[in-house]
Protein backbone atom coordinates (compact mmCIF):
# COMPACT_ATOMS: atom_id res chain seq x y z
CA UNK A 1 0.00 0.00 0.00
CA UNK A 2 2.84 2.38 0.90
CA UNK A 3 4.52 1.62 -2.45
CA UNK A 4 1.31 2.42 -4.29
CA UNK A 5 0.99 5.74 -2.42
CA UNK A 6 4.57 6.72 -3.29
CA UNK A 7 4.10 5.82 -6.93
CA UNK A 8 0.82 7.73 -7.09
CA UNK A 9 2.39 10.87 -5.60
CA UNK A 10 5.38 10.58 -7.93
CA UNK A 11 3.30 10.17 -11.07
CA UNK A 12 0.68 12.72 -10.02
CA UNK A 13 3.37 15.37 -9.60
CA UNK A 14 4.51 14.72 -13.16
CA UNK A 15 0.98 15.20 -14.48
CA UNK A 16 1.01 18.89 -13.60
CA UNK A 17 3.09 19.73 -16.67
CA UNK A 18 2.82 16.66 -18.87
CA UNK A 19 2.05 13.00 -18.27
CA UNK A 20 5.08 10.90 -17.35
CA UNK A 21 4.72 7.16 -17.86
CA UNK A 22 7.33 4.73 -16.50
CA UNK A 23 7.20 0.98 -17.16
CA UNK A 24 9.69 -1.45 -15.66
CA UNK A 25 9.97 -5.03 -14.44
CA UNK A 26 10.91 -3.92 -10.93
CA UNK A 27 10.39 -0.78 -8.82
CA UNK A 28 11.92 0.17 -5.46
CA UNK A 29 11.48 3.50 -3.66
CA UNK A 30 12.80 5.17 -0.54
CA UNK A 31 10.51 8.01 0.51
CA UNK A 32 13.04 9.42 3.03
CA UNK A 33 15.83 9.83 0.48
CA UNK A 34 13.56 10.58 -2.49
CA UNK A 35 15.21 7.89 -4.60
CA UNK A 36 13.23 5.54 -6.84
CA UNK A 37 14.92 2.77 -8.83
CA UNK A 38 13.30 1.16 -11.87
CA UNK A 39 14.95 -1.96 -13.31
CA UNK A 40 14.47 -4.37 -16.18
CA UNK A 41 13.28 -3.12 -19.57
CA UNK A 42 12.62 0.41 -18.30
CA UNK A 43 10.59 2.59 -20.66
CA UNK A 44 9.86 6.24 -19.88
CA UNK A 45 7.57 8.38 -22.04
CA UNK A 46 6.83 12.07 -21.53
CA UNK A 47 5.24 13.93 -24.42
CA UNK A 48 7.31 13.15 -27.53
CA UNK A 49 10.34 12.09 -25.48
CA UNK A 50 11.12 8.43 -24.84
CA UNK A 51 13.94 6.78 -22.90
CA UNK A 52 14.71 3.06 -22.67
CA UNK A 53 17.30 1.50 -20.34
CA UNK A 54 18.09 -1.47 -18.14
CA UNK A 55 18.02 0.69 -14.99
CA UNK A 56 16.76 4.20 -14.23
CA UNK A 57 17.23 5.96 -10.91
CA UNK A 58 14.96 8.93 -10.24
CA UNK A 59 15.82 11.52 -7.59
CA UNK A 60 13.03 13.73 -6.23
CA UNK A 61 12.92 16.79 -3.99
CA UNK A 62 10.89 17.26 -0.81
CA UNK A 63 7.79 18.03 -2.93
CA UNK A 64 8.24 14.73 -4.83
CA UNK A 65 9.27 16.59 -8.00
CA UNK A 66 11.92 14.80 -10.10
CA UNK A 67 15.28 16.60 -10.01
CA UNK A 68 17.48 14.08 -11.82
CA UNK A 69 17.16 10.87 -13.81
CA UNK A 70 20.11 8.52 -14.33
CA UNK A 71 19.64 5.85 -17.00
CA UNK A 72 22.16 3.02 -17.38
CA UNK A 73 22.57 -0.08 -19.52
CA UNK A 74 21.48 -0.27 -23.17
CA UNK A 75 20.16 3.30 -23.14
CA UNK A 76 18.25 4.46 -26.21
CA UNK A 77 16.25 7.64 -26.57
CA UNK A 78 14.10 9.95 -28.69
CA UNK A 79 14.09 13.63 -27.69
CA UNK A 80 12.32 16.72 -28.98
CA UNK A 81 13.78 20.13 -28.08
CA UNK A 82 11.70 23.19 -27.23
CA UNK A 83 12.28 24.46 -30.78
CA UNK A 84 11.06 21.17 -32.27
CA UNK A 85 14.40 19.58 -33.25
CA UNK A 86 14.23 15.78 -33.14
CA UNK A 87 17.08 13.70 -31.72
CA UNK A 88 17.49 9.96 -31.36
CA UNK A 89 20.37 7.81 -30.28
CA UNK A 90 22.11 5.47 -27.88
CA UNK A 91 24.57 5.81 -24.99
CA UNK A 92 26.01 3.81 -22.12
CA UNK A 93 24.66 6.25 -19.54
CA UNK A 94 22.32 9.26 -19.61
CA UNK A 95 21.71 11.88 -16.93
CA UNK A 96 18.69 14.14 -17.39
CA UNK A 97 18.06 17.23 -15.27
CA UNK A 98 14.41 18.24 -15.77
CA UNK A 99 14.64 21.63 -14.04
CA UNK A 100 17.05 22.89 -16.72
CA UNK A 101 15.94 20.40 -19.41
CA UNK A 102 19.48 19.21 -20.07
CA UNK A 103 20.74 15.77 -21.08
CA UNK A 104 24.28 14.46 -20.46
CA UNK A 105 25.19 11.37 -22.50
CA UNK A 106 28.23 9.20 -21.66
CA UNK A 107 30.12 6.23 -23.16
CA UNK A 108 29.81 5.39 -26.84
CA UNK A 109 27.31 8.16 -27.57
CA UNK A 110 25.62 8.20 -30.97
CA UNK A 111 23.29 11.22 -31.21
CA UNK A 112 21.42 11.89 -34.44
CA UNK A 113 19.48 15.06 -35.18
CA UNK A 114 16.82 13.56 -37.41
CA UNK A 115 15.32 16.67 -38.99
CA UNK A 116 18.74 18.18 -39.89
CA UNK A 117 20.46 14.87 -40.75
CA UNK A 118 23.38 15.55 -38.40
CA UNK A 119 25.12 13.00 -36.22
CA UNK A 120 27.50 13.32 -33.25
CA UNK A 121 29.61 10.38 -32.07
CA UNK A 122 31.65 10.83 -28.91
CA UNK A 123 32.31 9.79 -25.34
CA UNK A 124 30.46 12.69 -23.70
CA UNK A 125 27.72 14.81 -25.26
CA UNK A 126 25.55 17.48 -23.64
CA UNK A 127 22.19 18.47 -25.18
CA UNK A 128 20.48 21.62 -23.89
CA UNK A 129 16.90 21.24 -25.10
CA UNK A 130 15.77 24.80 -24.27
CA UNK A 131 18.57 26.49 -26.24
CA UNK A 132 18.83 23.70 -28.82
CA UNK A 133 22.61 23.45 -28.30
CA UNK A 134 24.85 20.39 -28.18
CA UNK A 135 28.43 20.00 -26.97
CA UNK A 136 30.67 16.96 -27.41
CA UNK A 137 33.95 15.60 -26.08
CA UNK A 138 35.86 12.62 -27.39
CA UNK A 139 37.45 9.85 -25.36
CA UNK A 140 41.13 10.06 -24.46
CA UNK A 141 42.20 8.19 -27.61
CA UNK A 142 39.19 8.85 -29.82
CA UNK A 143 38.08 12.15 -31.40
CA UNK A 144 34.54 13.48 -31.60
CA UNK A 145 33.01 12.70 -34.97
CA UNK A 146 30.45 15.02 -36.55
CA UNK A 147 28.63 13.83 -39.67
CA UNK A 148 26.59 16.15 -41.92
CA UNK A 149 24.48 15.04 -44.87
CA UNK A 150 25.32 17.43 -47.70
CA UNK A 151 23.04 17.87 -50.69
CA UNK A 152 24.70 16.81 -53.90
CA UNK A 153 25.44 19.50 -56.43
CA UNK A 154 23.89 19.07 -59.85
CA UNK A 155 26.35 19.06 -62.72
CA UNK A 156 25.76 21.60 -65.43
CA UNK A 157 25.97 20.37 -69.03
Amino acid sequence: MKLLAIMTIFLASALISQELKIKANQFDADEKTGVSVFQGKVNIIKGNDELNATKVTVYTDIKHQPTKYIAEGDVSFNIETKKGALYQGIAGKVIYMPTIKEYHFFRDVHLKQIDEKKEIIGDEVVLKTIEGKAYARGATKEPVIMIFKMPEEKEEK
Side-chain angles (χ1 to χ4, degrees):
M1 184 67 180
K2 190 173 190 178
L3 178 64
L4 181 61
I6 291 169
M7 190 66 175
T8 303
I9 290 168
F10 177 72
L11 292 175
S13 67
L15 291 174
I16 294 169
S17 59
Q18 222 175 23
E19 182 176 272
L20 174 73
K21 182 179 179 180
I22 302 175
K23 291 192 297 186
N25 292 341
Q26 182 179 338
F27 169 73
D28 296 298
D30 185 336
E31 190 173 3
K32 287 183 182 180
T33 63
V35 177
S36 299
V37 179
F38 299 86
Q39 294 187 74
K41 296 183 182 179
V42 183
N43 173 259
I44 301 175
I45 297 175
K46 183 177 179 191
N48 291 330
D49 294 353
E50 181 174 5
L51 180 88
N52 299 290
T54 304
K55 177 183 176 184
V56 176
T57 305
V58 180
Y59 298 85
T60 58
D61 62 17
I62 194 114
K63 296 178 184 177
H64 304 288
Q65 296 298 312
T67 58
K68 181 169 55 173
Y69 298 79
I70 299 177
E72 300 173 276
D74 298 322
V75 183
S76 65
F77 49 85
N78 293 298
I79 300 166
E80 182 176 7
T81 67
K82 186 175 181 180
K83 295 180 181 180
L86 302 171
Y87 290 88
Q88 107 182 150
I90 59 171
K93 179 179 180 179
V94 177
I95 299 174
Y96 175 61
M97 288 157 292
T99 54
I100 58 174
K101 301 198 181 343
E102 190 171 287
Y103 289 88
H104 292 247
F105 306 100
F106 301 95
R107 295 191 310 270
D108 298 322
V109 181
H110 294 260
L111 179 66
K112 295 178 185 178
Q113 185 177 354
I114 304 302
D115 47 336
E116 292 289 325
K117 297 183 181 174
K118 296 178 187 174
E119 185 174 353
I120 299 173
I121 300 169
D123 201 48
E124 182 179 343
V125 177
V126 175
L127 176 63
K128 297 182 175 206
T129 62
I130 294 174
E131 297 97 355
K133 295 181 181 180
Y135 306 94
R137 195 175 290 140
T140 306
K141 296 181 181 179
E142 297 291 329
V144 171
I145 300 171
M146 184 76 168
I147 301 169
F148 297 92
K149 300 284 185 189
M150 303 294 291
E152 291 189 29
E153 294 181 25
K154 295 180 182 177
E155 291 185 26
E156 292 183 35
K157 292 185 182 182

